[in-house]
Every structure is written in structure tokens, then in C-alpha cells.
Amino acid sequence: MNGPGRRPQTTIFTLMSALAQRHGAVNLGQGFPDESGPAHIIEAAATAMREGHNQYPPLAGIPELRHAITTHQRHWYGLAPDPDDGVTVTAGATEALTAAILAFVDPGDEVIALEPSYDSYKAAVTMAGGTLVPVRLDTPEGAEGHWRLDPARLAAAVTDRTKLLLVNSPHNPTGTVLHRDELEAIAALATRRDLLVVTDEVYEHLVFDGREHVPLASLPGMWDRTVTIGSAGKTFSVTGWKIGWATGPAGLIARVKDVKQWLSFASGTPFQYGIAEALASGDGYYRDYIAGYQERRDLMVAGLEAIGFEVHEPEGTYFVTTSVAPFGYGDGMAFCLELPERCGVVAVPNQAFYLDQEARPEVRFAFCKPVDVLEEGLKRLREGLTG
């Protein structure tokens, strides 16, 4: 925690986005789309505003959205959280994650997270008085590899103080999608050691090449010990609406709601109506969504490889991780700080997602931008790095 006179640390996203503005750079760092969501979703929110849905919603979210979330979970995964007691709508996935961690973690408890990990995890665990214990994914062997989970390493990290496993798949920043056998190993460990699990699944629909996203809660023995976190921002390109949710058994969700009431209490009433409409989108929307992002992924991977980056093709999410070692850099942070002025492009160093913050050559680019923006970014990188 920050003592008297200490200032909160600025996130890497704030820092890099400020550099993007200062240098007029193409922002391929922070993961927000440049395009707005589908028109019928925007109109649903606007209609809700015009019809007077502009005051506080219920703590757990409007009934229409809670039922839509339950229907979505049943359709895609065969899960059926109770819309009254097993779903709570939050101010984005970050609030859901924070509320869950504050609900279950006591001072002195340990929380295991896969590393690299999203930077808000450590902040939330620290606020709860706990300790974040990173378990590093195996790094890829060569450009064709992916980050993978070593179940033995995960099991070895569990101690008598471990309270909770924090699992993110599809994984930010690496783009790894955990395979079923990896998830089964996590489930077996959680059951054997009687651990709670919180899963961050905000990229659930963004998986490529026919891969499958398997919610941990759907595996045998996991429903009663898992809180699943989802979000509309990534799937429907409305990150500014900040509509997320937590689902799970009523007893666990009740504890999440107990904390959430002292955070936002509730928010985004008309946006909740818009997301209820969004979740009713047919399967065709999701197919087109994946196909569009797979096209952009392929464009970025091929373009970055042609420039000279060592590229690790992502299995999911809308991020691609590269090594900048071919350009003589062992420190991705140094590379990213120079990049806006040198090339007019912003990226994010992966070392920001590690607890030790040590220099590493990996750098993350976001491809959740229109094709012409990605092409402009690649052109600037090519001219600045090889011209």
C-alpha cells in the first residue's frame, strides 16, 4: 500500500498512451479498438437513455442483462448460473476481479497467478493484504512456439497459505489459449488442495484457428469453487462502457456483491440494456468477429516478421508478442520508450506484466485497430527500424 507522501505508480498503459499523444504515434500499445461497436447495440443503449433508464440500476445489474448473461453461458458452455443469485454486473472486468479478490483474500493469504499477468492483479491482491505468487508460463522455444503451463511448477507453488488461483485464458499478454489438459491439471490441483479459483475470460470469444475456449467452471468439480469473470468491452468493441460480470455459485457471488456495493455499487444503466441486446447476437456475429480479427492477426504477424521481429503468433486475444532482440535490444522497456519518437508507433513492454519488472526483450503489439491503421503502423516501423 502507499504510505503518506507516496504516489500511486502510473500504469504502463497511461505512460505509453501519453507518449502516443505527445508524438502523434499510432497506438498499438493499449488494447482498445479504434472502431465502435455494432450499430444496433449502440442504438439499444441510446433507446434506453431516451426511455428514461438513466438512474441507478440494481446492485447486481438489470434483470434483462443478468438473464442474457445466463443464456449466453448456457448456449456456449452448458453453464447455467442463476440470473438472480449467480450473476452480478460490474463496472468492467477489472472491478469484478478486484471485488472477487477483496472478497476472498485475507491479509497473509497467497494468490497464485500465471505470469506474465495483467497488472491489476497485483494491485488488487496488495489491497487485500495478500501476496501475489507468480507461476511463470514456459517461454516459447523459437518463433513458432507458445507459452505453456507446467502443471508441476504450478503445484509446487501451492503452500498452506494459498487461498486462490487466478487463471487467465485466453491469456493477456501472450495470446496463449490454455489447452484442455492444462485446465484439467489446474482443476485437479484446485480440488486436491481445496482452493478457490477466479478466472479472467474477457477474451473468451477471441480464439483462432479453430481452437476451443474451455471455461474452468465447466470441468468436473469446479463449478462450486470458481468465479468466472467476463466482459462485453472486448467482444463488442465498447470498452468505454465498462460492463463486466462475475458468475458462479450463489454463495460465492454473494460475497463478490458484498464487496462491489462499496466500490461502484452499480453503474452504466443504459449500457447494460445495450449489452443485453449484444449478447442476443446470433452465432454469425461471433464467427465474423473471429474471422475479422484473425485476418488482422495474420497481417500483423506477417508484417512484423518481414520487418525483422521474432514473432510469436497468438492463439487468442488481440495481442501479438515479439522479441526485439534482432534489433539489438535486451530491454523491451527501452525499446518502447524510444519507439514513439523514432517510428511514430507505440507498443507495450512485456516486462510490465512480470512481478520482478526485470528487463526482457519481449514487446506486445495490439491489433484491435482498422486494417489501414495497422498497415500505417507497420509502414512506420519498417521505415524507422530498417530504412
Side-chain angles (χ1 to χ4, degrees):
M1 301 296 289
N2 293 293
R6 294 186 62 189
R7 297 172 60 190
Q9 184 179 7
T10 300
T11 72
I12 189 65
F13 306 106
T14 300
L15 172 63
M16 300 314 298
S17 292
L19 286 175
Q21 290 185 328
R22 185 182 309 164
H23 295 283
V26 175
N27 191 349
L28 303 181
Q30 193 164 4
F32 60 84
D34 285 355
E35 302 155 301
S36 191
H40 73 285
I41 297 171
I42 307 300
E43 181 56 33
T47 298
M49 293 180 200
R50 289 192 291 267
E51 292 179 351
H53 298 293
N54 299 302
Q55 309 308 323
Y56 297 125
L59 166 65
I62 63 170
E64 292 87 343
L65 179 52
R66 287 186 276 115
H67 281 272
I69 291 168
T70 293
T71 300
H72 172 272
Q73 295 291 82
R74 182 185 298 111
H75 173 71
W76 290 102
Y77 312 120
L79 298 170
D82 187 310
D84 294 322
D85 299 320
V87 179
T88 188
V89 178
T90 58
T94 299
E95 186 191 41
L97 286 159
T98 301
I101 290 168
L102 291 173
F104 303 123
V105 177
D106 296 317
D109 287 342
E110 293 178 347
V111 175
I112 292 177
L114 307 182
E115 192 178 54
S117 60
Y118 189 57
D119 58 355
S120 78
Y121 298 172
K122 180 180 183 295
V125 172
T126 300
M127 284 190 285
T131 299
L132 185 69
V133 177
V135 171
R136 290 187 186 172
L137 298 173
D138 284 334
T139 54
E141 296 182 3
E144 298 301 319
H146 296 98
W147 281 262
R148 300 261 58 100
L149 174 65
D150 181 344
R153 184 181 303 141
L154 178 65
V158 177
T159 72
D160 291 340
R161 290 184 293 171
T162 306
K163 173 68 73 69
L164 187 147
L165 302 178
L166 184 51
V167 179
N168 173 212
S169 180
H171 184 261
N172 175 20
T174 68
T176 287
V177 177
L178 292 179
H179 296 171
R180 184 175 287 270
D181 60 338
E182 293 169 309
L183 293 165
E184 288 173 345
I186 295 172
L189 176 64
T191 302
R192 185 169 68 251
R193 298 300 298 264
D194 193 24
L195 302 174
L196 294 172
V197 181
V198 173
T199 65
D200 177 353
E201 302 182 21
V202 300
Y203 297 100
E204 61 184 313
H205 289 293
L206 204 53
V207 293
F208 304 124
D209 305 315
R211 292 183 175 88
E212 177 188 25
H213 167 63
V214 180
L216 201 56
S218 68
L219 297 183
M222 291 306 296
W223 172 257
D224 288 336
R225 65 178 69 250
T226 303
V227 172
T228 301
I229 307 300
S231 171
K234 314 297 185 183
T235 302
F236 300 106
S237 300
V238 286
T239 59
W241 289 12
K242 296 294 289 181
I243 301 297
W245 51 80
T247 62
L252 296 184
I253 296 303
R255 293 178 62 180
V256 175
K257 287 191 286 190
D258 285 346
V259 174
K260 172 188 153 49
Q261 69 179 326
W262 303 114
L263 297 176
S264 67
F265 179 77
S267 61
T269 302
F271 299 140
Q272 291 192 30
Y273 283 93
I275 299 308
E277 178 74 20
L279 289 173
S281 300
D283 290 4
Y285 170 81
Y286 297 93
R287 286 194 296 269
D288 292 344
Y289 168 74
I290 294 168
Y293 271 112
Q294 187 161 319
E295 177 185 353
R296 300 181 207 193
R297 179 203 64 175
D298 294 345
L299 170 67
M300 282 297 290
V301 167
L304 291 168
E305 285 178 339
I307 292 167
F309 289 90
E310 182 180 291
V311 182
H312 303 287
E313 183 179 86
E315 299 173 308
T317 77
Y318 46 47
F319 304 112
V320 56
T321 290
T322 71
S323 172
V324 295
F327 300 102
Y329 287 84
D331 184 347
M333 178 67 80
F335 178 87
C336 288
L337 291 176
E338 294 176 13
L339 199 62
E341 185 171 6
R342 180 176 178 179
C343 297
V345 174
V346 161
V348 167
N350 277 29
Q351 66 200 61
F353 302 105
Y354 287 83
L355 205 61
D356 61 18
Q357 299 280 297
E358 290 181 359
R360 290 175 171 82
E362 289 82 24
V363 167
R364 190 193 81 175
F365 291 93
F367 52 89
C368 49
K369 312 293 177 182
V371 168
D372 61 334
V373 173
L374 298 179
E375 290 175 338
E376 175 64 21
L378 290 168
K379 174 176 177 288
R380 294 185 183 193
L381 287 170
R382 185 168 54 251
E383 292 174 349
L385 295 173
T386 66

